[in-house]
Amino acid sequence: MNPLVKVLLDFFFPPLCHICHSFIPDAGAVHICQACRGALKPVEPPMCQVCGIPFQGAGADHLCGDCSKAKPHFDAARAVFLYEGECRELIHAFKYRNKTFLRRPLALMAAGALADFVSTQAPDVIVPVPLHKKRLRSRGFNQAVLLGELLAHEWRLPLERQAMCRIRWTVPQINLSADERRHNVKGAFAVANSAAVAGKSVLLLDDILTTGSTVEECARILKQAGASKVVVITIARAVMR
Ligand SMILES: [Zn+2]
Ligand SMILES: [Zn+2]
C-alpha cells in the first residue's frame, strides 16, 4: 500500500485494539494489541487427551478422571483460551452485546492455535452447535455459525449450517450443575440432514465448553446418524477448579 494512503487510512479509520482500544500501527487482521493478546490465557498442556481439560502443574498428557471412567461420545475436544478475564469479555461482547465483528479476531486466533490439531484430525465437515429457533430469533445470529463461516474459509472445509437442529427448548445452562446440564440437553438435538454427516469425520464447533454436556449430546446424536468421528473445538474452555 502507498505509505501516504496508509497514513490517511490510519487517520480516518485508526486500527484500534478490540480490547483496550489503543492504536495499533500494524494491526494485522486480528486487531488485538500484543499486551492484550498476552492477557488471553491459552489452554496449554498437560491436558486430558480426550476432553482437553488442562491439568495444573507439569507432566505428560493423560486421561482425566471423567474420561477414564466413561469415554465421551466425541473423540477429542480442544479449546483455544481459558474462559476468564479478557476472553470472557470478548465472548460476552460478541454474543450478548451484538458485536458480531468480534467473530473475526476470535476465529482467526482459533484458526492459528488449533491448526495442528485440526489437520491431524482431518475432519470432512464443520458442524456448528445449533440454537433453538426461538433463541436464534431473539439473538439474531448463531455465534457458532458466524465463527464457522470464517473457520471454514481458513481451513477450506465445508460448513454444514443446517446439519443439526434443536428440537427442544432448554433453559440456559448457566447456574446448572453438571448433572442438571446433562439432563437439560438430553434429547434437545436432532440431525436434520443425515447425508451431511453420515460416514464423515465431523468437526463440531461451539463458542464455549463448560462441562461438555452440550457437545457430548450433539456428538451422541451425530454418531447415531452415522458420523464416523466427532471432534469438538471451542474458542473458550471454562475450568472449574
Ligand atoms: Zn489492547
Ligand atoms: Zn477428559
Side-chain angles (χ1 to χ4, degrees):
M1 190 190 299
N2 180 317
L4 180 63
V5 172
K6 178 158 175 23
V7 167
L8 287 171
L9 274 176
D10 283 358
F11 181 77
F12 289 107
F13 306 101
L16 302 181
C17 171
H18 284 309
I19 296 176
C20 69
H21 308 293
S22 64
F23 174 75
I24 333 172
D26 291 302
V30 173
H31 279 238
I32 291 182
C33 76
Q34 283 305 319
C36 291
R37 191 83 179 248
L40 297 168
K41 295 190 188 132
V43 176
E44 286 175 323
M47 63 177 77
C48 171
Q49 293 114 322
V50 176
C51 73
I53 193 167
F55 302 122
Q56 277 176 324
D61 289 351
H62 54 275
L63 284 184
C64 73
D66 288 344
C67 292
S68 52
K69 251 182 270 159
K71 203 183 160 296
H73 291 285
F74 58 79
D75 297 81
R78 293 295 182 271
V80 186
F81 299 114
L82 295 177
Y83 186 53
E84 53 188 55
E86 296 298 352
C87 172
R88 193 193 188 100
E89 282 302 306
L90 271 179
I91 291 182
H92 270 235
F94 168 48
K95 235 169 116 168
Y96 304 119
R97 297 202 297 276
N98 247 341
K99 301 199 171 178
T100 48
F101 60 86
L102 291 175
R103 71 174 177 154
R104 184 164 297 279
L106 292 169
L108 292 179
M109 289 189 289
L114 298 174
D116 288 349
F117 173 72
V118 170
S119 79
T120 309
Q121 299 294 331
D124 299 311
V125 59
I126 300 181
V127 172
V129 169
L131 289 187
H132 191 274
K133 55 181 188 294
K134 203 166 115 188
R135 179 152 296 135
L136 188 59
R137 261 201 307 273
S138 68
R139 186 172 294 159
F141 60 90
N142 176 350
Q143 67 277 7
V145 169
L146 293 191
L147 293 166
E149 286 170 352
L150 299 182
L151 288 170
H153 178 78
E154 290 294 313
W155 290 330
R156 296 187 174 82
L157 287 169
L159 176 71
E160 287 289 350
R161 293 174 182 76
Q162 315 287 347
M164 296 192 80
C165 58
R166 266 198 208 231
I167 51 174
R168 188 165 63 69
W169 174 255
T170 54
V171 297
Q173 298 276 73
I174 195 162
N175 299 330
L176 298 186
S177 70
D179 274 350
E180 288 167 335
R181 282 169 183 252
R182 256 193 304 280
H183 185 76
N184 190 36
V185 293
K186 191 94 189 155
F189 299 96
V191 167
N193 175 10
S194 52
V197 299
K200 301 212 175 134
S201 170
V202 173
L203 186 67
L204 182 65
L205 172 65
D206 207 357
D207 55 340
I208 310 165
L209 188 151
T210 306
T211 60
S213 53
T214 298
V215 292
E216 171 62 352
E217 179 64 7
C218 289
R220 187 178 73 82
I221 298 297
L222 286 166
K223 290 256 171 103
Q224 217 171 56
S228 57
K229 184 172 162 186
V230 177
V231 292
V232 177
I233 59 164
T234 58
I235 302 296
R237 167 111 205 189
V239 178
M240 267 78 85
R241 299 202 196 272

